[in-house]
Amino acid sequence: MSRHTSSDKQPDKPWGGRFTEATDRFVESFGASVDFDRRLYRYDIEGSIAHARMLVHVGVLSEAEGQAIEKGLLEIRDEIERGDFAWLVELEDVHMNIEARLTERIGEAGKKLHTGRSRNDQVATDLRLYLRDEIDRLTAELVRLQRGLLDLAEREAGTLMPGFTHLQVAQPVTFGHHLMAWFEMLQRDKERLRDCRRRVNVMPLGAAALAGTSHPIDRAYAARLLGFDRVAENSLDAVSDRDFAMEFNAAAALLMCHLSRISEELILWSSAQFDFIELPDRFCTGSSIMPQKKNPDIPELVRGKSGRVYGNLTALLTLMKAQPLAYNKDNQEDKEPLFDTVDTVKACLRIFADMIPALRVKGEHMLAAARQGFATATDLADYLVRKGVPFRDAHEIVGKAVRYGIDHGKDLAEFSLEELRRFSSSIEEDVFAVLTLAGSVAARDHLGGTAPAQVRSAVQRARLSLDKAG
Ligand code: ARG
């Protein structure tokens, strides 16, 4: 019976041998994963070709059979990519759909492909191949975003802005320094992805259903064909391990936490109250009722999407936590959260990488904000310490000067020398060099400090490290 003709009878199931009645229709669709796992088709075919070549290599399949299988699988791939492939729910998942079609196309040899493997090691292999590719794509987008940040940080290395703690003006910083803080957060995310990739790139194939196979397979051979760094050491673990998916999703959750924090700052800064930046129009929308509105939708949406990635992590952890070894059908539920996380993170990175270089920076507003809030109070205290005043006394003296400034509506830099000397006789004419914002940031001239020169060299080091990582 052709799988393309519809009839009341169900197509023969690859596992139908021991069954006497057809599957209940609803059970069939309830148990099927083909609607979502078909996106693994490329990896399924890649894995099957490697498996077939390995079987030829060890003499289980003839050369002719191997070639027929490979050719058939490549034609099926074309069929799928042309949109000519009929996915059947009755055939449950991507694996059985492709295998059934192969047999339909090439006959007997197609039935031999599944020798020495099971869908259990097959699906675990497919997922790892998929995730390995996606990690590489995500990393490329992450690097694109980082390069955008570096360019902006270099341009804004000397731009003064208030630095905040408790969202209160704390000390002046440079905007370039703030951007480089974002760069560092993303750098750790990239390292986590790289580290996770090492544990993704391990081959389950050969574990078969759970116990391995009695056929004389050569796992290392298949692993080489598929670019795996090594083979899974234990067949039970190989088919049941989904650590790689949870670990990836954990790294993705952290990355989304960072994008969400960055989003929050972009949203605050584009408000009229801050007015530090302007997001390009093409990343914003208006309001249907308030004509004046320009809303920072994109950062808001990215902030919101962090929730689904955290949710996916919880779903995967919960999915796995009570599963006995080895494979259980529960595992079919690993795909949708994983796919959703990949899609979400990829889209967020892409949109950020496009948006960041297009930010309009309003340096004059940042400067005006830094002039409020006594941002150089710590500089005055440090100055007194250099003149021999113990730090705790200096702190007290400057606190009183700030109080005076609040009462008289003046920033410290606007005090006269006489006014300043009322608080400490150790203050002299040279104090004004430290009370300016530019003097304050320039003084923080050490590795990791906010001085423009430090920001510029941090950018250089970062560029070198990105270039080196290739
Ligand atoms: N669709 C299944 C999954 O996603 C493939 C493995 C099925 N294995 C089985 N023994 N039923 O996990």
Side-chain angles (χ1 to χ4, degrees):
M1 183 195 121
S2 161
R3 57 200 283 282
H4 292 279
T5 56
S6 78
S7 77
D8 291 341
K9 269 188 68 197
Q10 296 172 26
D12 291 340
K13 299 276 198 278
W15 41 254
R18 60 108 58 223
F19 286 76
T20 51
E21 66 172 354
T23 320
D24 177 274
R25 278 281 175 197
F26 186 66
V27 167
E28 197 165 70
S29 71
F30 183 78
S33 53
V34 64
D35 283 349
F36 50 84
D37 67 14
R38 53 201 263 190
R39 81 147 84 179
L40 294 172
Y41 78 89
R42 278 191 146 262
Y43 306 102
D44 197 68
I45 288 171
E46 190 187 345
S48 288
I49 289 176
H51 180 66
R53 285 192 192 168
M54 183 277 289
L55 291 177
V56 171
H57 174 72
V58 298
V60 169
L61 291 183
S62 71
E63 288 279 350
E65 286 166 333
Q67 273 163 18
I69 287 173
E70 190 160 336
K71 184 161 169 287
L73 286 169
L74 291 175
E75 283 164 5
I76 289 172
R77 193 177 70 190
D78 290 344
E79 245 173 41
I80 295 171
E81 289 176 355
R82 279 199 313 269
D84 284 349
F85 189 89
W87 297 98
L88 299 182
V89 168
E90 301 90 291
L91 287 169
E92 208 174 312
D93 56 26
V94 61
H95 323 293
M96 295 204 295
N97 266 273
I98 291 176
E99 193 193 323
R101 179 72 181 133
L102 180 68
T103 300
E104 198 174 85
R105 288 189 72 115
I106 70 168
E108 286 304 297
K111 292 192 200 161
K112 295 190 177 178
L113 170 62
H114 213 50
T115 312
R117 77 170 181 186
S118 145
R119 276 184 297 153
N120 298 351
D121 58 345
Q122 188 179 356
V123 68
T125 302
D126 291 3
L127 262 189
R128 286 171 182 268
L129 289 172
Y130 157 80
L131 191 55
R132 184 180 72 185
D133 253 14
E134 292 293 359
I135 287 176
D136 292 345
R137 289 200 189 100
L138 285 172
T139 303
E141 281 302 76
L142 190 56
V143 169
R144 191 163 73 86
L145 169 55
Q146 284 187 305
R147 289 197 184 276
L149 283 172
L150 292 181
D151 291 344
L152 195 58
E154 186 165 56
R155 214 174 72 207
E156 306 294 337
T159 306
L160 295 163
M161 70 179 285
F164 300 90
T165 59
H166 314 270
L167 202 55
Q168 310 287 318
V169 172
Q171 293 175 348
V173 294
T174 49
F175 185 45
H177 195 52
H178 197 111
L179 293 166
M180 288 305 286
W182 293 353
F183 176 90
E184 287 298 322
M185 289 149 79
L186 296 173
Q187 190 69 357
R188 291 191 295 276
D189 291 321
K190 201 174 59 189
E191 282 168 20
R192 269 184 284 272
L193 286 176
R194 187 189 308 150
D195 194 47
C196 168
R197 191 189 190 281
R198 294 194 300 122
R199 280 175 292 278
V200 169
N201 204 23
V202 178
M203 190 189 78
L205 211 56
L210 76 165
T213 174
S214 56
H215 297 288
I217 57 172
D218 183 343
R219 299 184 69 205
Y221 184 85
R224 264 197 309 280
L225 292 180
L226 292 169
F228 281 113
D229 293 333
R230 55 194 185 87
V231 300
E233 293 280 335
N234 177 290
S235 65
L236 295 169
D237 182 46
V239 291
S240 84
D241 173 21
R242 294 295 182 276
D243 292 6
F244 66 95
M246 293 182 276
E247 185 180 352
F248 166 76
N249 207 136
L254 259 170
L255 169 53
M256 287 305 293
C257 174
H258 290 156
L259 293 185
S260 181
R261 294 185 66 186
I262 295 172
S263 294
E264 174 67 11
E265 295 192 315
L266 294 173
I267 294 161
L268 281 173
W269 292 347
S270 47
S271 70
Q273 287 67 30
F274 277 84
D275 204 17
F276 286 3
I277 56 163
E278 187 176 350
L279 297 170
D281 280 2
R282 61 184 184 281
F283 293 94
C284 297
T285 62
S287 156
S288 56
I289 174 169
M290 297 167 283
Q292 84 284 12
K293 290 288 292 272
K294 175 174 162 184
N295 297 325
D297 299 61
I298 292 307
E300 288 173 304
L301 209 44
V302 170
R303 189 176 59 183
K305 281 181 189 291
S306 61
R308 35 193 307 163
V309 174
Y310 296 2
N312 292 335
L313 174 59
T314 304
L316 290 172
L317 289 166
T318 313
L319 173 69
M320 295 310 298
K321 82 173 189 52
Q323 280 196 47
L325 290 173
Y327 177 87
N328 302 280
K329 181 80 166 179
D330 313 38
N331 283 343
Q332 185 161 292
E333 288 288 306
D334 61 3
K335 285 166 208 66
E336 285 162 296
L338 184 64
F339 294 162
D340 185 64
T341 289
V342 167
D343 294 344
T344 303
V345 175
K346 208 161 50 177
C348 292
L349 283 172
R350 175 182 166 175
I351 210 152
F352 257 61
D354 289 344
M355 184 178 66
I356 289 288
L359 286 186
R360 191 160 82 78
V361 179
K362 299 182 171 177
E364 67 294 0
H365 292 170
M366 291 183 175
L367 181 64
R371 286 211 175 102
Q372 290 158 16
F374 303 95
T376 54
T378 313
D379 296 271
L380 180 55
D382 287 345
Y383 169 88
L384 288 168
V385 168
R386 285 196 296 277
K387 299 278 178 181
V389 180
F391 182 76
R392 277 292 152 226
D393 293 341
H395 189 287
E396 175 77 13
I397 290 165
V398 179
K400 290 194 169 127
V402 165
R403 183 71 249 166
Y404 174 90
I406 292 169
D407 292 343
H408 293 81
K410 281 186 185 177
D411 188 62
L412 294 173
E414 294 164 341
F415 285 24
S416 67
L417 186 58
E418 290 66 48
E419 275 174 312
L420 284 166
R421 284 180 62 84
R422 272 192 229 160
F423 300 96
S424 167
S425 55
S426 305
I427 298 179
E428 292 163 65
E429 185 62 44
D430 60 351
V431 73
F432 292 104
V434 309
L435 289 184
T436 64
L437 298 172
S440 170
V441 295
R444 283 158 173 77
D445 191 16
H446 53 78
L447 185 74
T450 192
Q454 290 296 335
V455 173
R456 285 188 194 100
S457 53
V459 169
Q460 295 320 320
R461 282 196 304 277
R463 281 219 181 96
L464 277 179
S465 106
L466 291 190
D467 291 346
K468 212 166 58 201

